[in-house]
């Protein structure tokens, strides 16, 4: 996820106090070493009897469990650990928390390394998964869609009242690939080593280097270099994944089989509406229309068929609307009036508001004004979600109603899950969405906007077998789906490489997997994507 709001000073002070207490008590408070038997085993999970293969991991807990995925039982080993990140002089720089899931062979009844599907690594994919922010832990993808346990949301994905609970995830990705969820430094339980400069970790290039180093270490320590390797990232995690695609290849010789991009931002110019940047306005417009459709703010003709309506809006947005914006102040009279009428029709907003915005409605303004007559805000991460507007006279939304309840659900569930089921304990706060990583060094790429498009293009040219799957929600006002399509269309790839790209759409928001039909579809899309990516062409197998 992309962080939207900063915590209060009171919250920050509380976090600092808890962190200090945790450091002071670290020797006695951290999780038990591998091979120990914590009390209170959960149903379906047992402590592993075999020693962990993790070498000098700082802290580790290994448990075994079973889940039914697509109505088939899958036994698996879960490893929760803290990976020491050291330089070549063996100096500790940071510890990175991760949770890994490895499936056992269906016919096996044992729990050793030889019983894993990865005992023959070439035949078992491995996927490294992370969220974004910057400052987000991997818990969103972990307990939202990919892992064997998930937060229990209703069919429509609306956050339930507390207390929250986990359930078995029948649409986990674990039957298709082993999974490693990474919390980058400053998120989750991951922290810089004492005395280390934060600037070594909290930036675009710095983050890519350290996550790449973690991946190299994991492949080495767990003997997975022969496995097909995949990445999956969400939001800023897609930025990280694109940067990693070339860095892993050039620096470590790791050629990826595929990358899953969930709610994508590769070119920040597409998300940054400003006086000198008109590009985002046409790219957000189809999402405005989808949102207005959901809240029944369109006329009868547009309400009748969302797919047809979106095709119409997409065509107009990247045609006549782009031309109108490019005209600037030269757009006058009847031509300007026609554009104004179209925008009012496609957004459900009052024409006078659009006129005052100079035909350029920013996403925050849309959130604020679409349902202002009812005293409601629409969500940024999921524009289907609404919330009471506590500051109706302000110009911008006071908060994102599609974030706080979900943040609480993931935080509560993971803190319980880590300790009760994974047997990993720590007094450190688990940073689900953290300000610890700020200020983030976005660098000076492009014309003032971060872009990793060149890295991804270069990786695909150097590794022509690399496949990409983009997953976008129609109701995502953080990373609009039409902006993702624009980025795909501007990768400037030859047809043979462009054929390796898929873009799937879902009737949900940024975390589309909250909505049950999208959760199912995302799993099916990813399973098919992995199968296609690891299939050996006939001519290559001769």
């Amino acid at each position: 996820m992309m962080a939207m709001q900063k915590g209060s000073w009171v919250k920050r002070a509380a976090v600092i106090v808890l962190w200090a207490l945790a450091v002071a008590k670290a020797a006695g408070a951290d999780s038990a070493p591998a091979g120990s038997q914590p009390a209170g085993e959960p149903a379906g999970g047992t402590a592993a009897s075999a020693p962990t293969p993790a070498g000098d991991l700082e802290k580790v807990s290994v448990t075994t469990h079973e889940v039914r995925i697509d109505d088939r039982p899958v036994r698996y080993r879960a490893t929760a650990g803290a990976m020491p990140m050291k330089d070549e002089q063996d100096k500790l720089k940071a510890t990175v928390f991760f949770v890994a899931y490895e499936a056992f062979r269906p016919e096996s009844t044992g729990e050793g390394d030889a019983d894993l599907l990865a005992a023959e690594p070439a035949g078992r994919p491995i996927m490294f998964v992370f969220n974004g922010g910057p400052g987000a832990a991997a818990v969103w993808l972990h307990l939202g869609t990919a892992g064997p346990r998930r937060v229990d949301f209703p069919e429509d994905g609306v956050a339930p009242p507390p207390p929250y609970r986990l359930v078995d995830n029948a649409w986990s990705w674990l039957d298709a690939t082993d999974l490693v969820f990474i919390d980058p430094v400053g998120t989750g339980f991951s922290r810089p080593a004492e005395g280390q400069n934060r600037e070594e970790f909290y930036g675009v290039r710095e983050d890519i280097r350290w996550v790449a180093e973690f991946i190299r270490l994991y492949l080495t320590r767990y003997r997975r270099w022969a496995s097909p390797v995949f990445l999956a990232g969400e939001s800023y995690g897609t930025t990280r994944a694109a940067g990693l695609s070339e860095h892993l290849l050039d620096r470590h010789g790791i050629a990826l089989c595929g990358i899953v991009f969930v709610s994508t931002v590769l070119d920040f110019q597409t998300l940054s509406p400003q006086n000198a940047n008109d590009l985002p306005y046409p790219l957000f417009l189809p999402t405005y229309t989808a949102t207005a459709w959901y809240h029944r703010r369109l006329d009868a003709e547009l309400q009748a068929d969302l797919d047809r309506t979106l095709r119409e809006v997409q065509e107009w947005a990247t045609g006549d609307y782009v031309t109108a914006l490019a005209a600037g102040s030269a757009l006058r009279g009847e031509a300007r009036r026609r554009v104004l009428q179209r925008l009012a029709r496609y957004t459900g907003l009052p024409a006078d508001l659009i006129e005052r915005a100079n035909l350029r409605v920013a996403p925050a303004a849309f959130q604020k004004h679409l349902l202002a007559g009812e005293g409601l805000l629409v969500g940024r991460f999921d524009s289907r979600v609404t919330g009471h507007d506590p500051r109706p006279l302000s110009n911008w939304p006071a908060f994102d109603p599609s974030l706080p309840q979900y943040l609480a659900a993931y935080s509560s569930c993971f803190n319980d899950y880590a300790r009760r089921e994974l047997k990993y304990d720590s007094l450190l706060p688990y940073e689900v969405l953290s300000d610890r990583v700020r200020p983030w060094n976005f660098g000076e790429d492009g014309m003032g906007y971060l872009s990793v498009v060149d890295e991804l293009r270069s990786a695909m040219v150097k590794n022509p077998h690399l496949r990409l799957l983009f997953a976008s929600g129609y109701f995502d006002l953080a990373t609009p789906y039409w902006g993702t399509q624009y980025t795909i269309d501007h990768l400037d790839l030859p047809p043979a490489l462009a054929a390796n790209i898929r873009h799937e759409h879902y009737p949900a928001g940024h975390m589309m997997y909250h909505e049950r039909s999208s959760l199912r579809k995302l799993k099916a899309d990813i399973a098919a994507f992995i199968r296609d990516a690891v299939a050996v062409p006939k001519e290559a197998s001769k």
Side-chain angles (χ1 to χ4, degrees), residues 52-227:
T52 174
D56 63 345
L57 285 182
E58 193 169 281
K59 297 188 290 281
V60 67
S61 175
V62 182
T63 51
T64 58
H65 311 262
E66 182 171 313
V67 64
R68 294 190 72 83
I69 302 175
D70 292 333
D71 206 31
R72 292 190 296 273
V74 177
R75 292 175 57 248
Y76 63 93
R77 180 167 74 187
T79 302
M83 180 83 78
M85 309 297 292
K86 299 179 180 180
D87 62 19
E88 293 188 359
Q89 288 70 47
D90 206 37
K91 180 181 179 181
L92 181 65
K93 308 293 285 186
T95 54
V96 171
F97 177 74
F98 70 96
V99 179
Y101 298 102
E102 302 163 284
F104 289 110
R105 290 184 285 109
E107 69 277 11
S108 172
T109 58
E111 298 178 358
D113 289 354
D115 299 295
L116 295 169
L117 285 169
E120 298 179 7
R124 180 60 174 172
I126 185 167
M127 179 179 284
F128 295 92
V129 185
F130 35 76
N131 277 81
V139 64
W140 305 89
L141 288 173
H142 185 175
L143 298 186
T145 178
R149 301 275 280 164
R150 65 175 179 86
V151 180
D152 187 18
F153 293 119
E155 286 277 347
D156 62 4
V158 174
Y164 311 105
R165 69 178 189 134
L166 290 179
V167 294
D168 283 349
N169 185 7
W171 302 282
S172 170
W173 308 350
L174 184 57
D175 59 337
T177 178
D178 288 343
L179 298 162
V180 184
F181 295 92
I182 307 170
D183 290 341
V185 177
T187 73
F189 291 133
S190 303
R191 298 291 188 273
E194 184 177 357
Q196 295 304 305
N197 189 336
R198 57 183 290 117
E199 295 178 357
E200 294 184 60
F201 309 98
Y202 302 150
V204 176
R205 303 302 162 193
E206 297 85 350
D207 173 73
I208 287 171
R209 286 195 295 270
W210 284 110
V211 173
E213 177 63 5
F214 173 90
I215 292 171
R216 183 195 70 80
L217 284 171
Y218 188 94
L219 293 176
T220 301
R221 289 178 172 176
Y222 287 90
R223 300 178 181 178
R224 297 301 298 268
W225 278 86
S227 289

Side-chain angles (χ1 to χ4, degrees), residues 370-381:
L370 180 66
L371 302 179
E374 301 173 37
L376 298 175
L377 302 169
V378 300
R380 176 173 177 257
F381 288 117

Side-chain angles (χ1 to χ4, degrees), residues 519-534:
L519 174 69
R520 296 188 189 99
K521 174 175 163 52
L522 182 63
K523 162 57 192 295
D525 291 340
I526 287 174
F529 172 73
I530 292 172
R531 285 195 300 270
D532 291 345
V534 299

